[in-house]
Amino acid sequence: MDYPGNQLLALADILKPKTDESDEDEPITGAASLGPGSIGPTNQVIVPTDSSTKTKANEKDIWDVEEVAEGAEYEDLSDPRKQPEYDIIFQQDVNTEDIFLQMGQKNPTTASCPYLKIKINLPDTKYADVELNVTDKFLDCRSPEYKLGLHLPHPVDSKNGKAEWDGDKELLTVVLRMNREYDFLNS
């Protein structure tokens, strides 16, 4: 009769044949020496030899500039100011060819929208108290009561944006032209 224990011993003989007949009755102890640290490759330091590797500007720096997300310098978790309500709207340029003659290549999708409009509601805020900073991928809007740090869905032209304040509605409207990779196809 063939017992499961015999099958295990036969498998052990195949994987690690015994070198000495004297240890036939001793249990196999190779698995007992394995632990969680035995999994994977051993720790070896590999030093690159080519000169194309990046060097940090300062050896004490933890991250490279490319590794830090844009806008991370504006995030402050201990800031008690509230986040205002805001809307992100994709805006098209529509002319007479698009409406009356239907000769343009534009369609109602966001792929045909070259502009990004952000409407920020800032109740009980004066225009002089609003600080706005826009980079290519991040919008930072602050007032004494509100703070908005917004990662933009697409890269924008931060140098040529337009901001407008509506004092009656206490609404800040920021219009930015997007710089997407395939925008030349949809224009």
Side-chain angles (χ1 to χ4, degrees):
M1 179 166 213
D2 198 21
Y3 293 105
N6 292 340
Q7 291 175 353
L8 286 175
L9 290 175
L11 180 61
D13 286 338
I14 293 172
L15 295 177
K16 184 179 176 190
K18 294 182 182 182
T19 58
D20 195 7
E21 293 295 325
S22 64
D23 62 355
E24 188 172 318
D25 294 335
E26 294 178 14
I28 300 172
T29 59
S33 66
L34 296 178
S38 302
I39 299 173
T42 58
N43 292 338
Q44 296 178 358
V45 178
I46 300 172
V47 180
T49 57
D50 62 342
S51 61
S52 65
T53 58
K54 288 190 212 176
T55 58
K56 295 180 181 173
N58 185 356
E59 288 300 321
K60 293 183 179 182
D61 288 348
I62 298 172
W63 295 285
D64 288 330
V65 175
E66 296 86 24
E67 294 175 331
V68 178
E70 188 170 341
E73 66 268 16
Y74 300 112
E75 296 176 10
D76 184 11
L77 299 176
S78 63
D79 194 346
R81 292 183 281 185
K82 299 179 283 188
Q83 178 176 326
E85 293 182 12
Y86 65 92
D87 290 322
I88 298 176
I89 302 165
F90 290 91
Q91 179 180 339
Q92 280 189 350
D93 277 338
V94 181
N95 56 29
T96 55
E97 289 178 354
D98 299 322
I99 294 176
F100 297 111
L101 303 175
Q102 297 177 352
M103 294 174 60
Q105 298 178 9
K106 292 184 180 162
N107 56 39
T109 65
T110 58
S112 294
C113 299
Y115 295 101
L116 192 64
K117 182 189 280 188
I118 300 129
K119 293 183 176 183
I120 306 168
N121 294 321
L122 298 167
D124 303 323
T125 304
K126 297 176 185 166
Y127 173 69
D129 295 336
V130 177
E131 293 179 27
L132 180 66
N133 185 15
V134 179
T135 62
D136 290 344
K137 296 180 181 179
F138 194 79
L139 178 136
D140 180 42
C141 180
R142 296 175 187 235
S143 72
E145 291 185 36
Y146 298 99
K147 177 185 84 166
L148 176 65
L150 184 63
H151 293 275
L152 300 173
H154 298 285
V156 296
D157 181 9
S158 60
K159 305 287 187 232
N160 297 318
K162 179 178 123 181
E164 183 178 314
W165 175 255
D166 186 353
D168 297 333
K169 296 179 183 178
E170 296 171 329
L171 178 75
L172 177 66
T173 305
V174 181
V175 179
L176 302 164
R177 185 168 185 84
M178 292 185 282
N179 288 331
R180 295 178 289 191
E181 188 174 355
Y182 295 109
D183 273 348
F184 66 92
L185 296 174
N186 297 317
S187 57

